[in-house]
Amino acid sequence: ISKYRGQKGSHEMGEKDATGRMEQQILQIAQGNKDAFASFYEETRTALFAFLLSYLDRQEAEDALQDAYLAAYRSAGRYRPQGTPMAWLMGVAKNTARRRMREGQRETVLPEESWNRMEAVASGLPSEEQIVLRSLLQRLGADEYRLVVLHSVSGMRFREIAEALGLPLSTVLSKYHRAMKKLKKAWEEESEHE
């Protein structure tokens, strides 16, 4: 998803190209083209794994990733090109994650893999501050956490997140900014106690 980041003027065109390419891959997957499936997997797996980590722990997310791609492969023939291939794939993954959560009756709180990725982002922080950051992120609600992970860890743009989650862009932006304010406030409270 983030492969087509570039200059501001070329972003929209690159996004359309990537969407068109993914739609073609899905259509080819429906015809049994394994090379198209491999390309689609390589292009989308990082974002999809981060998305699944926002629902499940690391091991469950790894298993769900494979299940989601298998389900996508099987249902590619039912995909209707509408300019939203990533939203379609994330819908498949979301259903897979919810099924796994129902089966295991699990709720996840900051999966270890997500924290490891977040640590890479925050690697410039001293270890004490990394511990505090981890604690702060655990204070976010599931939706807030999901938005922070999708934007900050997987690098998805807000428009991509909105499309993938089926939410208006304004909702994604306001929820993300509320989550960031919540983190800032919690950080300030944490700093006062030191």
Side-chain angles (χ1 to χ4, degrees):
I1 280 291
S2 299
K3 288 182 180 179
Y4 49 83
R5 287 187 177 171
Q7 299 169 346
K8 278 189 173 183
S10 65
H11 169 70
E12 191 173 312
M13 186 59 158
E15 193 171 321
K16 287 179 183 177
D17 290 345
T19 297
R21 183 177 56 254
M22 285 192 285
E23 284 191 337
Q24 284 303 310
Q25 289 167 337
I26 294 170
L27 295 173
Q28 291 171 353
I29 291 165
Q31 297 171 351
N33 185 326
K34 289 182 173 51
D35 290 335
F37 182 72
S39 296
F40 184 70
Y41 175 83
E42 286 302 316
E43 190 168 338
T44 59
R45 70 186 166 111
T46 301
L48 195 64
F49 187 61
F51 178 71
L52 287 166
L53 281 171
S54 70
Y55 285 95
L56 304 165
D57 65 35
R58 181 175 188 250
Q59 184 61 48
E60 285 288 321
E62 288 174 355
D63 293 343
L65 183 70
Q66 301 310 313
D67 291 349
Y69 277 108
L70 185 57
Y73 185 84
R74 290 179 179 154
S75 63
R78 293 189 298 274
Y79 175 76
R80 299 294 167 247
Q82 299 173 348
T84 58
M86 199 64 193
W88 171 77
L89 181 60
M90 287 192 173
V92 171
K94 185 178 186 179
N95 291 337
T96 301
R98 286 185 171 164
R99 182 178 39 77
R100 285 185 163 273
M101 286 167 42
R102 275 192 311 271
E103 288 171 359
Q105 294 299 310
R106 295 186 188 113
E107 272 297 317
T108 194
V109 187
L110 200 62
E112 197 62 33
E113 176 69 15
S114 291
W115 175 247
N116 291 340
R117 287 176 185 223
M118 192 67 76
E119 281 180 330
V121 171
S123 61
L125 295 175
S127 61
E128 304 86 40
E129 289 182 10
Q130 288 182 15
I131 292 168
V132 171
L133 178 59
R134 186 177 203 168
S135 170
L136 296 175
L137 288 170
Q138 290 176 337
R139 295 181 190 183
L140 295 177
D143 288 341
E144 296 167 327
Y145 171 71
R146 188 168 294 115
L147 291 174
V148 170
V149 168
L150 289 173
H151 181 68
S152 301
V153 180
S154 77
M156 290 179 72
R157 289 182 164 81
F158 292 116
R159 186 178 319 139
E160 296 167 337
I161 295 168
E163 180 181 294
L165 298 178
L167 296 171
L169 178 59
S170 59
T171 301
V172 169
L173 289 169
S174 65
K175 286 184 175 191
Y176 179 81
H177 290 295
R178 272 196 303 272
M180 296 310 289
K181 283 181 183 177
K182 193 176 190 179
L183 286 173
K184 182 180 178 186
K185 182 179 179 192
W187 176 265
E188 289 168 354
E189 289 172 0
E190 195 71 32
S191 296
E192 288 175 7
H193 294 294
E194 291 180 2

